[in-house]
Amino acid sequence: MWNVIQCAIQGRGHIKSNTPCQDKTYSIVTDNMQVIALADGAGSAKLSHYGAETVTKFICSELTEKFDVYFEDNDGAAVKQQLIEGVLKSLNETAKLLECEIKELASTLLFVAVKNDQFIIAHIGDGVIGYLKNNEMKIASQPENGEFVNTTVFTTSKDAIMTMKLIKGSLGEIQGFVLMSDGTETSLYSKKERKLADVLKKIMQMSTIISTDKVQEQLKQSFENVIINATTDDCSIAMLVKTNDAFKGYLQLDNRQKQKLLGFKTSTSKKTIRRYDDILAYLQNNQSISRIARRIHLKQKYMKKYINKLCMLNFIEKNGSCYHTIILLHTGNEVNNE
């Protein structure tokens, strides 16, 4: 099983000019097939947000239906040709509906498709594709820029096929994939070091122990409050993360596993761990610090240390003056966040 996390936020420059968000993400998940796609509409193309939406939806549908055909074809050039022809056909159909030229729908395109133990990655234009393997973030594909500075390649570019990157392989120890636009790249990718930010690993890991909806909500808040401040461009991201089948809920872990998850040394007392257990269990419903302190029989000033630790780990969340648990406590049961 895989989790999908995606987010696209209108940039400050587009808010100021009243231009729609030109970044689009899309995904399709079935029993044995997962596809995520991201497209960044060309700033010079006034209808590129429609083009970005068109190509992300097309490529997800195409790979869902024809993954085996593309994966088993050893002629990379032929695969690229077929994919580009399909993309252009879908864009031409959109252009007819909008009564515009296809160049007005230009965008980049990044996607990852996974079926069983195999994957296909493709990349046209700027943005970054990364993956998590053995708990380390790695680069699968870096930006492809155009002939001149600050230009890139788009789905409608004449050299799209020539510059398109296509990667096929077996998953092995890969735990997740991430796609990001160049706006997001400003904050989460170092061009100088060719390195992805460690926070991406943390987001992926958190998505395996708390609900995907909650991770996505927190990610959206982070983009709205932090990421867009580093650029005037739109910002988008899409992640595909393998679920942790071994995780049956926090309360099902043994003390050693809980210590590791809480970031403690193995010498931490069982009493301390039990206190965290009690707090998390009690916070399945919203509670104030004073009520938690009374329930746990601990002074408020000491209780705050426990609460701050759990907030830092994203195991609990503050709602006004109250807190509630968001980490999964029991197998198959979501906590009550009402």
Side-chain angles (χ1 to χ4, degrees):
M1 293 291 292
W2 294 73
N3 291 329
V4 172
I5 306 158
Q6 51 192 343
C7 176
I9 300 295
Q10 185 183 26
R12 292 182 295 128
H14 285 171
I15 292 174
K16 187 175 181 179
S17 63
N18 198 31
T19 302
C21 179
Q22 295 173 323
D23 280 16
K24 300 295 178 182
T25 66
Y26 195 72
S27 64
I28 293 179
V29 176
T30 65
D31 290 341
N32 68 338
M33 184 78 229
Q34 301 82 28
V35 192
I36 55 170
L38 181 151
D40 180 357
S44 58
K46 63 181 180 180
L47 298 177
S48 65
H49 51 295
Y50 290 111
E53 182 176 12
T54 296
V55 296
T56 53
K57 288 184 176 180
F58 164 76
I59 210 68
C60 285
S61 177
E62 181 76 357
L63 267 295
T64 300
E65 295 176 7
K66 301 179 182 179
F67 181 94
D68 292 336
V69 173
Y70 288 124
F71 190 87
E72 292 167 8
D73 191 336
N74 294 321
D75 187 341
V79 171
K80 291 179 183 180
Q81 181 73 37
Q82 291 176 61
L83 289 172
I84 289 294
E85 286 179 355
V87 165
L88 293 178
K89 181 180 178 181
S90 66
L91 287 174
N92 273 313
E93 291 172 354
T94 299
K96 289 179 181 179
L97 289 173
L98 297 176
E99 298 181 342
C100 69
E101 294 185 38
I102 192 172
K103 65 180 182 180
E104 295 298 334
L105 304 174
S107 74
T108 64
L109 177 60
L110 302 79
F111 77 78
V112 174
V114 173
K115 184 176 182 181
N116 299 323
D117 192 44
Q118 300 171 328
F119 69 84
I120 299 175
I121 294 173
H123 189 176
I124 299 173
D126 55 25
V128 177
I129 302 178
Y131 61 100
L132 179 65
K133 183 176 182 180
N134 295 324
N135 290 316
E136 183 180 350
M137 293 303 305
K138 298 177 179 289
I139 304 296
S141 180
Q142 300 174 67
E144 183 65 51
N145 298 109
E147 182 178 355
F148 303 103
V149 177
N150 294 327
T151 64
T152 190
V153 180
F154 298 115
T155 50
T156 56
S157 301
K158 61 182 180 180
D159 54 350
I161 294 179
M162 181 178 69
T163 60
M164 180 183 184
K165 298 170 187 174
L166 179 69
I167 305 169
K168 297 188 287 185
S170 298
L171 288 172
E173 300 302 316
I174 293 177
Q175 300 153 281
F177 296 92
V178 59
L179 316 174
M180 64 178 75
S181 65
D182 63 336
T184 302
E185 178 188 320
T186 303
S187 296
L188 300 179
Y189 171 69
S190 170
K191 290 184 179 179
K192 183 177 180 180
E193 298 179 6
R194 295 187 176 184
K195 184 179 179 182
L196 291 165
D198 284 339
V199 70
L200 293 168
K201 178 173 70 173
K202 182 178 180 181
I203 295 169
M204 287 187 177
Q205 292 173 335
M206 287 305 298
S207 74
T208 67
I209 61 175
I210 70 175
S211 74
T212 304
D213 288 345
K214 184 57 64 176
V215 174
Q216 191 154 293
E217 179 185 321
Q218 292 176 345
L219 185 67
K220 185 173 183 290
Q221 291 174 355
S222 176
F223 267 59
E224 291 174 337
N225 298 325
V226 180
I227 302 298
I228 64 169
N229 292 325
T231 179
T232 58
D233 200 1
D234 297 332
C235 297
S236 60
I237 192 168
M239 291 181 173
L240 187 61
V241 187
K242 197 172 187 178
T243 57
N244 183 0
D245 294 333
F247 184 72
K248 305 301 182 182
Y250 172 84
L251 294 180
Q252 305 302 313
L253 302 177
D254 60 33
N255 272 3
R256 183 178 170 185
Q257 292 170 320
K258 289 176 183 175
Q259 287 168 346
K260 184 177 180 181
L261 203 57
L262 290 165
F264 290 131
K265 296 179 179 178
T266 53
S267 58
T268 305
S269 70
K270 292 182 179 180
K271 182 179 179 181
T272 299
I273 299 301
R274 280 200 303 270
R275 187 157 279 163
Y276 279 101
D277 294 354
D278 292 342
I279 293 170
L280 288 169
Y282 186 53
L283 289 182
Q284 289 184 74
N285 293 300
N286 287 335
Q287 305 290 350
S288 65
I289 285 184
S290 60
R291 291 188 66 179
I292 306 166
R294 286 197 299 272
R295 176 64 177 255
I296 307 300
H297 305 296
L298 194 67
K299 291 182 178 180
Q300 285 193 45
K301 64 178 180 179
Y302 298 122
M303 177 56 65
K304 287 181 180 179
K305 293 181 180 179
Y306 285 87
I307 294 299
N308 289 339
K309 171 77 172 179
L310 291 172
C311 282
M312 182 187 70
L313 292 169
N314 286 320
F315 287 5
I316 65 174
E317 187 175 68
K318 189 173 184 181
N319 183 13
S321 61
C322 296
Y323 299 83
H324 63 265
T325 298
I326 58 176
I327 188 174
L328 182 67
L329 296 183
H330 302 282
T331 306
N333 295 326
E334 297 293 340
V335 297
N336 181 1
N337 290 334
E338 295 179 359

